[in-house]
Amino acid sequence: MGTTVRQAARATVQLGRAAVLAFGSIIFITVLLFTAVATLVVVGAGLLPETVLLVRRFAGAKRRQVAEWTGREIPEAYQRVEGPLRRRLRTAVRDPGTLNDLRWMVAHYAYGFLGVLALPLWPAGLLVDGVRQGVLGRSPLVLPLISRLADLDAAWSTALLKPSPKALLAERVEELTETRAGAVAAHEAELRRIERDLQEGTQARLVSLSLRIGIAKRAYERDPDAARKLLDDAQDQAEEALTELRHVVRGIHPPILTDRGLVGAARALAASSGLDVTMDVDGLEDGAQSGVRAPAAIEAAAYFVLAEALTNAGKHSASERAAVRLARTPTGLSVVVRDEGRGGADEAAGSGLLGMRRRVAALDGAVRLTSPVGGPTVIEVDLPYAW
């Protein structure tokens, strides 16, 4: 009997919170009507986006209530209301989530007070179920109805608040627009880096090399020893220029990926990182020619994630150890880098994490960073691909 009473009490609290929210929604209808009238006469057009945001907060509160009761989240799919007034108005009106929320709010006026039905069930339930369980040893009959009312409220709210296919499509379009912008920004930054490396490094060395060869040619007849020394210097500069060119090429697409595959390239990164790195490989074979390989773009993104993460760990974590996991998943490639350092990694601190996120987002991937102060720092990357 005690378990039944506790469950009914929990359901009653849930229904009571739903009734409070419904009562708040009824009060809010005055604000909504005022905003609609003011918008029609243009005077209060600026109120419409704020009213839509307020409706979203009401809907968000209901989503949290349902999630607490059922243990299942109701996803959100909203377009961001931002920018100039005209853009905010257009977004607020055209967002499919706005119509979804308004439909839920109207329906919630009717079913939001299901908790009222629980009030007469309590005395009847304590009497009837007390006799059934305490005397007859049978299952409760009345008090479980209160939980069913809470389940009904949650089911209706889930059906009304879950995003429509149109809302999900609009959210996806907005996400892809942001991803494309990030990819373009990352591409431009990469081009500027390559241009800077070529101009300040390789180009300068090649110009100096050309001058030295020219001087050596003019000095060869009258001072062969000086000319020979100049040619030796020119050879050294040519080798340095080649080294810098190789560095630039590695920044575009590391040749080691072609030669040794992702696992071999990852082992080379780990060996050169200066850290004690443990490697865990699942479902991927070592070697460039063994097994089924992901596309070059996926492997390159995974390589740069590993390079950036291990570099950050070596520079900022104050840890001597790191762990790397490469795994083939049913939906793509998973990369996890963990260090036991001081933590506190911040994307805004210029540590390269933002560039990593943009590179991964360009491939429709996801980056999750966990780095509490005191550590550990864990970077998890999912790169989607159909094997």
Side-chain angles (χ1 to χ4, degrees), residues 113-127:
F113 294 99
L114 285 173
V116 175
L117 301 177
L119 298 179
L121 291 177
W122 268 104
L126 291 174
L127 178 62

Side-chain angles (χ1 to χ4, degrees), residues 202-234:
T202 308
Q203 178 176 298
R205 292 191 183 280
L206 289 175
V207 170
S208 177
L209 173 62
S210 177
L211 289 173
R212 286 181 181 276
I213 292 176
I215 295 172
K217 286 172 64 179
R218 288 194 297 271
Y220 185 76
E221 294 295 336
R222 63 177 183 274
D223 193 351
D225 292 335
R228 189 176 296 108
K229 184 178 184 306
L230 288 170
L231 289 173
D232 290 340
D233 291 342

Side-chain angles (χ1 to χ4, degrees), residues 263-279 306 310 322 324:
V263 176
R267 296 190 192 281
L269 276 176
S272 62
S273 67
L275 300 171
D276 180 11
V277 181
T278 59
M279 290 280 299
L306 287 172
L310 291 175
V324 171

Side-chain angles (χ1 to χ4, degrees), residues 134-167:
V135 179
L136 303 177
R138 302 177 67 180
S139 60
L141 182 63
V142 179
L143 288 179
L145 295 177
I146 300 176
S147 295
R148 292 180 185 175
L149 288 175
D151 290 338
L152 187 61
D153 173 87
W156 285 346
S157 296
T158 300
L160 290 167
L161 287 174
K162 68 181 181 181
S164 65
K166 186 177 180 181

Side-chain angles (χ1 to χ4, degrees), residues 60-218:
K62 188 60 183 179
R63 286 186 176 93
R64 289 190 293 273
Q65 284 185 6
V66 173
E68 290 176 8
W69 175 254
T70 63
R72 296 186 300 274
E73 299 285 340
I74 302 177
E76 293 184 355
Y78 293 127
Q79 297 177 28
R80 286 200 297 270
V81 180
E82 58 186 10
L85 177 59
R86 180 174 295 181
R87 179 181 172 187
R88 297 172 72 220
L89 280 170
R90 184 169 61 250
T91 303
V93 172
R94 294 182 178 179
D95 185 2
T98 301
L99 179 60
N100 239 31
D101 289 349
L102 292 176
R103 184 179 58 186
W104 161 78
M105 184 169 281
V106 171
H108 198 238
Y109 297 153
Y111 76 84
F113 294 99
L114 285 173
V116 175
L117 301 177
L119 298 179
L121 291 177
W122 268 104
L126 291 174
L127 178 62
V128 174
D129 292 340
V131 172
R132 285 177 62 87
Q133 281 193 291
V135 179
L136 303 177
R138 302 177 67 180
S139 60
L141 182 63
V142 179
L143 288 179
L145 295 177
I146 300 176
S147 295
R148 292 180 185 175
L149 288 175
D151 290 338
L152 187 61
D153 173 87
W156 285 346
S157 296
T158 300
L160 290 167
L161 287 174
K162 68 181 181 181
S164 65
K166 186 177 180 181
L168 292 173
L169 179 60
E171 183 187 43
R172 181 59 173 159
V173 169
E174 185 175 5
E175 178 185 344
L176 290 175
T177 301
E178 291 180 0
T179 300
R180 183 183 63 182
V184 170
H187 179 66
E188 290 178 350
E190 188 70 9
L191 286 178
R192 286 195 297 270
R193 182 191 66 80
I194 294 171
E195 181 183 6
R196 184 176 62 252
D197 289 347
L198 289 174
Q199 192 170 25
E200 296 178 0
T202 308
Q203 178 176 298
R205 292 191 183 280
L206 289 175
V207 170
S208 177
L209 173 62
S210 177
L211 289 173
R212 286 181 181 276
I213 292 176
I215 295 172
K217 286 172 64 179
R218 288 194 297 271

